[in-house]
């Protein structure tokens, strides 16, 4: 028996209603802010990710699914969406001439990581990317939009962490101070950090090793080396969040795992998912567009890990997916008439979820199926009903008398009978 690839999950019919509901809520919030969807391929040239995410990052060093296609080109399954979005934006001239874009995408991402709860090799993100807006007002909008989503999903308890990475120049100055400090404490560095010390020392601040925590906490702070403009930008952002009544924690060690960020970075974290506690992460990447060959354009965005978000809100989502009605058809004549009747019902009530029994069988076996389907009512069409132009209506979840309804008024009658899960509604 061939199994799915480790870390890549099937999403089964029992789960897809929850996914659809979650996705619909997210789309709803994005629409409230005027964001528009963009779709790009799941495979890109490897170079795109190397040049944007950075050579010395977890993703590029060890997580990418890279392969040679039949032409000998090096291609990679997208590990994230920002680089793809910027590539598409440049290629189709969406970003030049100071254009303002508010975009979003949703779909699978691929990283070769060690699979565990909240960490998969194929996982799903919804990402938001904006272009052409350089101010902290946009950063605040992104954060408020994510906060609205949590609210809409009934999710509380997420903590917002923010930080500023300043400009590349400011980080270069800070980098020297940090390396000097870490060199003084070389004996306390773990293997990963020793390696990072030469190549990407800021990433050491992000270390998930608890034994590194004290060392990192006492390290010089990037905030002390910020350029004036970045400092001002960050202070304004904090003011805007205060004015909106949004609580946040300034985390000076928040540096994010990708190279393209500058100035604002943020994460929404929870302690309810163990080590995989970051649900949403984002920030500003003002130099990326130019770095990938476009005209310089400020940019900022975030990405949400949908598996982690769903794990937090699943119980609150109440997707309506069970059929309202199950049509039981006994006998040849009923089979022919039943299909037509079902079409008429669907014409009259587009919101009606009606399953027609296929494949014949005894009344008893069909009725069992009706019950198992989760439907609220069984509609019964047998020889008698066909002859009389009626349908039997049996309530499967309520203790109510069976009814005989004339086929001509059945659609209308069902509307009344199914009030508890209104057809017109969800
Ligand atoms: P982590 O520190 O957990 O590895 P990251 O910094 O690599 O996260 P990003 O690249 O910022 O993650 O991706 C944004 C979000 O996507 C994460 O906050 C998380 O919710 C989700 N995510 C990232 N990698 C995975 C994965 N392998 N499986 C499931 N979700 C993931
Ligand atoms: Mg990661």
């Amino acid at each position: 028996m061939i199994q799915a690839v480790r870390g890549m999950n099937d999403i089964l019919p029992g789960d897809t209603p929850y996914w659809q509901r979650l996705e619909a809520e997210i789309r709803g919030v994005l629409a409230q802010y005027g964001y528009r969807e963009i779709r790009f391929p799941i495979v890109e040239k490897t170079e795109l990710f190397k040049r944007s995410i950075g050579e010395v990052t977890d993703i590029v060093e060890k997580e990418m699914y890279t392969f040679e296609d039949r032409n000998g080109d090096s291609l990679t399954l997208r590990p994230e969406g920002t680089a793809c979005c910027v590539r598409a934006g440049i290629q189709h001239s969406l970003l030049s001439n100071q254009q303002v874009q508010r975009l979003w995408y949703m779909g699978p991402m691929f990283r070769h990581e060690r699979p565990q709860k909240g960490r998969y090799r194929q996982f799903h993100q919804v990402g938001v990317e904006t272009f052409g807006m350089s101010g902290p007002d946009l950063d605040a909008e992104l954060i408020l939009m994510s906060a609205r989503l949590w609210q809409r999903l009934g999710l509380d308890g997420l903590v917002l962490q923010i930080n500023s990475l300043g400009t590349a120049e400011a980080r270069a100055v800070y980098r020297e101070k940090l390396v000097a400090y870490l060199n003084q404490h070389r004996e306390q560095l773990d293997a990963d950090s020793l390696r990072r010390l030469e190549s990407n020392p800021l990433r050491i601040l992000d270390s998930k090793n608890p034994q590194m925590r004290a060392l990192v906490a006492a390290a010089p702070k990037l905030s002390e080396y910020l350029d004036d403009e970045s400092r001002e930008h960050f202070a304004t952002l904090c003011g805007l969040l205060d004015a909106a009544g949004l609580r946040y924690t300034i985390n000076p060690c928040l540096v994010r795992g990708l190279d393209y960020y500058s100035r604002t970075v943020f994460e929404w974290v929870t302690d309810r998912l163990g080590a995989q506690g970051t649900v949403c992460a984002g920030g500003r990447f003002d130099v990326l567009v130019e770095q990938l060959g476009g005209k310089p354009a400020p940019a900022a965005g975030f990405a949400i890990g949908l598996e982690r978000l769903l794990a937090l809100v699943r119980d609150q989502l109440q997707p309506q997916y069970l059929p309202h009605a199950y049509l039981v058809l006994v006998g040849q004549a009923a089979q022919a008439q039943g299909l037509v009747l079902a079409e008429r019902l669907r014409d009259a009530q587009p919101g009606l979820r009606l399953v027609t029994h296929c494949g014949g069988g005894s009344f008893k076996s069909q009725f069992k199926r009706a019950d198992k389907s989760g439907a609220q009512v069984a509609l019964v069409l047998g020889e008698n009903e066909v002859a009389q132009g009626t349908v039997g209506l049996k309530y499967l979840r309520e203790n109510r008398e069976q009814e005989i309804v004339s086929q001509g008024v059945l659609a209308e009658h069902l509307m009344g009978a199914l009030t508890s899960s209104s057809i017109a509604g969800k």
Side-chain angles (χ1 to χ4, degrees):
M1 153 69 213
I2 300 172
Q3 304 266 339
V5 176
R6 197 162 114 82
M8 303 200 181
N9 300 312
D10 300 305
I11 302 177
L12 301 176
D15 287 320
T16 49
Y18 292 88
W19 280 85
Q20 289 174 1
R21 190 60 193 272
L22 179 66
E23 290 162 4
E25 296 293 346
I26 294 170
R27 285 196 178 90
V29 171
L30 292 164
Q32 282 189 292
Y33 290 77
Y35 283 64
R36 299 186 302 157
E37 184 181 8
I38 181 167
R39 300 185 186 191
F40 31 76
I42 58 168
V43 178
E44 297 273 356
K45 299 197 175 131
T46 303
E47 195 54 27
L48 174 67
F49 301 114
K50 286 196 175 165
R51 259 168 62 187
S52 55
I53 298 168
E55 296 267 6
V56 196
T57 55
D58 282 347
I59 293 180
V60 172
E61 277 182 339
K62 50 187 187 200
E63 294 174 1
M64 294 205 302
Y65 279 92
T66 297
F67 60 97
E68 233 178 56
D69 80 355
R70 287 169 192 275
N71 307 328
D73 296 329
S74 179
L75 304 181
T76 294
L77 295 184
R78 62 184 190 195
E80 56 112 44
T82 303
C84 313
C85 187
V86 171
R87 195 271 308 142
I90 298 170
Q91 185 174 338
H92 302 288
S93 307
L94 304 181
L95 314 182
S96 49
N97 300 324
Q98 273 115 53
Q99 286 182 83
V100 165
Q101 299 286 358
R102 287 177 164 86
L103 306 176
W104 67 268
Y105 56 84
M106 198 184 294
M109 304 294 162
F110 303 85
R111 298 185 192 176
H112 196 276
E113 303 197 64
R114 194 170 67 78
Q116 54 198 290
K117 188 166 169 276
R119 195 175 289 289
Y120 310 101
R121 291 181 172 173
Q122 173 173 334
F123 61 100
H124 297 79
Q125 286 185 339
V126 56
V128 162
E129 317 292 357
T130 69
F131 301 93
M133 293 164 285
S134 59
D137 47 354
L138 185 270
D139 303 3
E141 172 178 298
L142 289 175
I143 291 171
L144 288 171
M145 184 162 73
S146 49
R148 177 174 296 277
L149 178 62
W150 317 144
Q151 189 199 25
R152 179 141 159 184
L153 293 168
L155 172 60
D156 43 37
L158 288 192
V159 172
L160 172 62
Q161 300 193 345
I162 59 175
N163 191 25
S164 176
L165 299 182
T167 58
E169 296 76 43
R171 282 200 301 281
V173 175
Y174 170 67
R175 185 187 154 122
E176 282 183 19
K177 307 283 172 196
L178 181 66
V179 169
Y181 165 83
L182 292 171
N183 261 322
Q184 280 165 16
H185 302 85
R186 253 191 118 85
E187 72 292 345
Q188 294 176 49
L189 296 178
D190 60 14
D192 239 11
S193 303
L194 273 173
R195 203 165 48 83
R196 289 269 142 91
L197 190 57
E198 315 301 330
S199 54
N200 202 341
L202 263 67
R203 198 62 42 68
I204 296 173
L205 298 177
D206 212 14
S207 168
K208 296 200 166 83
N209 181 353
Q211 272 145 18
M212 297 276 302
R213 211 161 279 159
L215 185 68
V216 163
K221 297 284 173 292
L222 176 55
S223 54
E224 285 154 30
Y225 298 88
L226 285 190
D227 52 294
D228 289 344
E229 267 183 65
S230 294
R231 203 185 293 272
E232 170 83 22
H233 185 107
F234 192 61
T236 309
L237 171 61
C238 291
L240 291 168
L241 296 178
D242 291 336
L246 206 66
R247 289 217 239 142
Y248 54 87
T249 310
I250 297 176
N251 176 358
C253 294
L254 185 66
V255 292
R256 307 283 306 112
L258 304 89
D259 270 358
Y260 51 62
Y261 287 109
S262 55
R263 294 206 170 147
T264 310
V265 289
F266 65 93
E267 287 191 0
W268 287 95
V269 297
T270 174
D271 53 13
R272 283 164 54 199
L273 295 176
Q276 275 56 253
T278 304
V279 178
C280 170
R284 197 159 261 295
F285 43 97
D286 289 336
V287 295
L288 183 59
V289 176
E290 189 179 11
Q291 199 177 309
L292 289 177
K295 297 253 165 58
F302 64 73
I304 297 173
L306 291 180
E307 281 81 2
R308 293 185 196 176
L309 181 57
L310 189 60
L312 292 173
V313 302
R314 190 185 159 105
D315 293 344
Q316 276 110 280
L317 297 173
Q318 285 172 337
Q320 305 284 320
Y321 57 94
L322 297 175
H324 293 110
Y326 190 102
L327 180 55
V328 170
L329 303 169
V330 190
Q332 286 283 312
Q335 217 165 52
Q337 208 181 81
L339 283 173
V340 177
L341 175 68
E343 291 307 317
R344 286 217 317 269
L345 290 173
R346 295 187 185 107
D347 285 341
Q349 303 291 354
L352 177 69
R353 292 188 293 273
L354 170 65
V355 174
T356 305
H357 183 86
C358 287
S362 68
F363 175 80
K364 200 174 151 207
S365 68
Q366 291 195 35
F367 210 75
K368 260 197 195 147
R369 290 274 186 88
D371 191 42
K372 230 181 130 189
S373 76
Q376 290 178 60
V377 298
L379 304 176
V380 182
L381 197 60
E383 262 169 49
N384 286 346
E385 287 82 4
V386 167
Q388 288 158 13
T390 59
V391 169
L393 196 161
K394 260 175 121 49
Y395 292 88
L396 298 169
R397 322 279 152 206
E398 289 165 273
N399 206 353
R400 266 168 82 173
E401 280 290 294
Q402 174 170 350
E403 294 165 3
I404 306 287
V405 185
S406 155
Q407 288 181 15
V409 299
L410 181 59
E412 211 175 310
H413 189 88
L414 270 178
M415 272 302 260
L418 294 168
T419 42
S420 55
S421 77
S422 89
I423 300 175
K426 291 154 193 174

